[in-house]
Every structure is written in C-alpha cells, then in structure tokens.
Amino acid sequence: MRTRYAKPGSSPGLTVISAEGPIPEFPVQVISYDKDQLTDAEVSLADLPPPDPGDGRVTWVRFPTMPDPTSLAHFGERWGLHALDLEDVINVGQRPKTETRDNRAFTILQVPALDEDGTIRLRQVSLFLGPNFVISIREEGPPLFDRVVERLRTGGRGGRIRSSGPDYLFYSLLDATVDHGFPVAEALSELIEDLENGLLEGPETVSLDTLHLLRRDLTALRRSQWPARDALNALLNEEHSPLGKKVRGYMRDCLDHQMHVNESIEVLKENVIGLQELYLSVQGHRLNDVMKVLTIIATIFIPLSFFTGLYGMNFNTDISPWNMPELNTRFGYPVLLMLLAGVAGGMVVFFKRKGWF
C-alpha cells in the first residue's frame, strides 16, 4: 500500500492549523491567457491571489511538485478549494475519482511510468476546475503537461485551447494524463513478447520470479486505471458537471482512450498468466523428458544387474558340479560380457521401435 492517510479519528480535511507565522516559500508556474494574450510567470504560492472573475482570462496554476501541507492549506483557503479535496491531494495514492461542487470539479488520476529496470511506478495527478481557473498538482515524475504548455504558447488566436474556456484546458490536462498509459502498455507488451520468445527457446532464460513480479505490477496498474473510467464518466453524466456541452464531446474521446488503456492492461495481465502456465508446462515437459531418460537407463540396467548379481554369488564348484559350472569355463567372462551387451542393445532397439526415445 502506497496510500498515505491521516491517523484514525483525525479531523477530516486539510485545514489551516494556524495563520500565524510565515508561510513557506513554494514557487508555482502561473499561465494566464485569453485568445489574444498569454503571460507565463513563476510566482510564490503565498503571494498568489485568486483570479479576477471579470477579466475574461483563464488562469492555470501549475505545481511543479507536491507542496507542503501548510502552503497548500493557505492556498486552498484563499482559492475556495474544499478541505477534503486538499486532504486527498496531500495523501497520495488515492483511488481515481471525481468530485463536483458548486460548478467546480476535482479529479484525481494515477499516472503510470515504466522505470529502466521494468518496474511500474504510479504518480498521482490532482486537477481542480473553477469558473476561470485550472489547478494541476502532481508528484515528481516524467513531464506530463509540457506539450499542453507548448500548445498554449504557439496556439495564438486560431488555437482551440486559447479560444476556449477553462473546461477545455481541464479536458486537455486529463487527456494528456490518460494518454501516458499508452507508451507504458506498449513497453509492457514488448517485454512480455520478449519473455514469451525466451521461454519458447528455453525456460532457463526466464525466471518464475520475473513473471510473478510482472503479474503483481500489472495487478497494481489495473487497480489504478480501472476506476479512472468512472472518474471520467462522472464528468459526462453528472447533472451539475462544470464541463460545457462542446467539451463533453471531447471528454467522450478521452474516456474512450482510458477504456482502451484498461483493455490493454487486461490483455497484458492475461498474457502474463498464460506465460506462467506455459513456464510451468515447459518445466513439467522437461522434467518428464528427464524422468523418461532415467527410467529407460534404469530399465536397461535391471537385467544387467540380474546377470551380474547371479554370477556374483560364487558358489564353490569343488563341492558340487551344479555350483555355477560357468566359473570354470575358459571363455565364461567374455561370454557374459557379450550376453550383457546383447541384452542392452536389444532393449535399446526395442525402445527405439516403440518411439520411447
């Protein structure tokens, strides 16, 4: 469990404990724009006032990393953010969800990333949508919204994102977050394909631990991505959703992307389960081959052991002529060796004709 949570019995929500004392400095990127102008500046979170509802501009507050609780609590109090939402922001590892209040929306998603060693890491992204602002808060990890920033800077008057409201920017950030699941699914698909090819060449190239860890990662990935479908769907079906009718059409495409990611993860998990079964089947087949060879060798030596044991009793022939007369035969030993070789060779020919090896 990666989820952080408050101690049982604590007061719900993230609140400002004390307004006294200086608030820690925390820089954020503030992008404010309309269809004609765009400003981009780095501002201290403590000095950032709420946007003016009458200026007709959209303000995007972009947090580079997770802020400290004190700074976030003071910021949320000034901007009218709900304390329960702020608590979910700080306590990362939350289940994807969407909350709508007073023509505002709050959405949490989990972004997967694949490390160089093949380990899946999940990072939480929290997005707030207000009447004329959007707030994005995320954990450290690979860049998510750089392309959205580029679209804002190069869009100009003809760009859809610059000429639309904050709900379209909110959708764009959601879409960028969801689309980061595709390269992870593709990389996992290639990894599973390589494991399958190696397994067919020989089970010694693949370990059962590797398959088990991969299946565990896919289970965690599935648990983080499947609820995102309901979180996105809530923005479409909520009676008081702050998304406009035009943006809801784009959100359906974003929801389709999320469902595609979910289906890919489900297929990958089934493939890993199949690889585990194939691994055990190949190992069982190899064990059967080894046991068959050992059984054939033991079967060949059974009659040979009988003859050598029989002539190893060494009954004294001076006492009775019936006591192993072959011991006094001139060519008794070579004849016995030829008999043993003949019996072994005959059994090998018989086993080959039967197709046993």
Side-chain angles (χ1 to χ4, degrees):
M1 292 180 59
R2 196 177 65 93
T3 306
R4 295 205 300 260
Y5 53 89
K7 293 182 179 180
S10 302
S11 176
L14 185 67
T15 59
V16 179
I17 300 175
S18 175
E20 300 179 358
I23 302 174
E25 292 288 332
F26 188 87
V28 293
Q29 182 183 11
V30 180
I31 301 176
S32 181
Y33 66 90
D34 55 22
K35 62 181 180 180
D36 297 319
Q37 294 180 347
L38 181 143
T39 59
D40 186 352
E42 185 176 283
V43 182
S44 174
L45 191 62
D47 301 329
L48 183 61
D52 183 6
D55 64 359
R57 296 170 66 85
V58 177
T59 301
W60 176 15
V61 181
R62 185 184 181 192
F63 285 67
T65 58
M66 188 66 63
D68 59 278
T70 302
S71 298
L72 184 61
H74 281 276
F75 171 76
E77 189 178 45
R78 295 195 309 272
W79 284 63
L81 306 181
H82 202 283
L84 290 175
D85 298 338
L86 298 178
E87 182 183 26
D88 290 337
V89 171
I90 290 297
N91 297 326
V92 297
Q94 299 293 325
R95 184 178 185 271
K97 67 174 184 177
T98 291
E99 298 286 349
T100 57
R101 303 183 183 93
D102 303 326
N103 202 31
R104 297 187 177 198
F106 168 64
T107 299
I108 285 180
L109 295 178
Q110 297 291 336
V111 183
L114 198 63
D115 292 346
E116 295 181 357
D117 59 355
T119 304
I120 299 176
R121 305 292 182 187
L122 296 173
R123 296 292 182 263
Q124 179 172 301
V125 175
S126 306
L127 300 175
F128 292 87
L129 171 62
N132 59 341
F133 65 84
V134 174
I135 302 170
S136 62
I137 307 175
R138 58 184 297 264
E139 294 183 80
E140 294 182 352
L144 285 179
F145 304 135
D146 289 352
R147 187 162 296 181
V148 178
V149 175
E150 182 181 354
R151 288 165 55 194
L152 281 171
R153 290 172 177 170
T154 61
R157 293 179 61 89
R160 183 182 297 115
I161 192 170
R162 289 273 294 274
S163 59
S164 302
D167 55 348
Y168 189 86
L169 175 61
F170 186 74
Y171 147 74
S172 300
L173 300 182
L174 288 175
D175 188 59
T177 303
V178 170
D179 286 349
H180 270 76
F182 286 112
V184 174
E186 183 178 357
L188 289 174
S189 178
E190 295 177 356
L191 175 61
I192 293 174
E193 185 177 354
D194 293 340
L195 290 175
E196 183 177 9
N197 293 334
L199 187 57
L200 293 176
E201 293 176 0
E204 65 277 354
T205 61
V206 180
S207 67
L208 190 60
D209 291 342
T210 300
L211 298 177
H212 176 72
L213 292 176
L214 183 57
R215 181 178 177 180
R216 186 188 66 179
D217 287 345
L218 283 171
T219 300
L221 183 60
R222 181 186 186 277
R223 188 169 59 248
S224 70
Q225 295 302 304
W226 273 92
R229 178 186 61 179
D230 297 331
L232 298 177
N233 199 35
L235 292 168
L236 294 172
N237 298 331
E238 283 284 350
E239 181 179 357
H240 303 291
S241 174
L243 300 183
K245 183 177 180 181
K246 181 180 178 181
V247 176
R248 292 191 189 191
Y250 292 106
M251 275 300 304
R252 292 188 182 92
D253 180 68
C254 182
L255 177 61
D256 182 67
H257 290 181
Q258 184 62 60
M259 294 177 66
H260 189 183
V261 171
N262 293 351
E263 292 170 358
S264 300
I265 294 173
E266 196 69 24
V267 171
L268 292 175
K269 185 179 178 182
E270 293 296 328
N271 289 343
V272 172
I273 294 175
L275 282 181
Q276 288 181 314
E277 295 176 352
L278 179 61
Y279 177 88
L280 296 177
S281 177
V282 171
Q283 289 285 40
H285 182 71
R286 292 191 64 188
L287 180 61
N288 289 339
D289 287 342
V290 172
M291 294 302 299
K292 182 175 66 175
V293 172
L294 295 178
T295 302
I296 290 174
I297 294 175
T299 304
I300 292 175
F301 275 91
I302 287 176
L304 304 187
S305 300
F306 170 75
F307 285 113
T308 55
L310 178 66
Y311 286 102
M313 291 185 293
N314 296 323
F315 284 100
N316 190 355
T317 56
D318 294 335
I319 297 178
S320 171
W322 297 103
N323 288 347
M324 305 190 71
E326 295 85 0
L327 294 179
N328 296 324
T329 305
R330 180 178 179 84
F331 298 104
Y333 181 63
V335 170
L336 179 61
L337 292 180
M338 293 176 61
L339 175 63
L340 297 178
V343 171
M347 296 183 70
V348 170
V349 172
F350 176 76
F351 291 156
K352 279 188 172 294
R353 288 185 176 180
K354 287 291 185 178
W356 292 353
F357 72 93

